[in-house]
Amino acid sequence: MSDIVEIDYQFNFINGLKINIPLKIDDKTAQTVVKHPDDLPKWTALEFNQCKNCPLTTAQQANCPLAVQLLNIVENFNQVQSTDEVNLEVTTPSRKI
């Protein structure tokens, strides 16, 4: 039986914006455990700008697995610039950094 490891990312931006990204990871498979909405954005579709070396086909999978995994992060950071200063706090079961 697998255990779930929880890691919490707290982004505190200089402008006062706070974004919390909790991750749950299956310790046996290293896969994230996330419930995604049934109606995924069009940009997650496998046929939308599919990587040249991607072995998947739309017959196998409708959506890109990586894009679906990144959905929560992309949606949370849509108002953040890459140059915005941030303090990041990471909390795991054994420590806080």
Side-chain angles (χ1 to χ4, degrees), residues 56-94:
L56 301 176
T57 65
T58 54
Q60 295 171 305
Q61 195 146 347
N63 296 88
C64 169
L66 180 57
V68 172
Q69 291 294 319
L70 292 174
L71 179 61
N72 184 35
I73 295 169
V74 170
E75 287 180 341
N76 275 291
F77 286 87
N78 63 359
Q79 74 266 13
V80 176
Q81 299 294 314
S82 63
T83 56
D84 289 349
E85 290 187 43
V86 65
N87 291 310
L88 174 62
E89 186 176 284
V90 182
T91 306
T92 69
S94 60

Side-chain angles (χ1 to χ4, degrees), residues 1-5 24-33:
M1 184 171 148
S2 297
D3 287 324
I4 302 298
V5 177
K24 294 182 180 184
I25 302 171
D26 183 304
D27 74 339
K28 299 291 186 220
T29 66
Q31 296 291 316
T32 56
V33 180

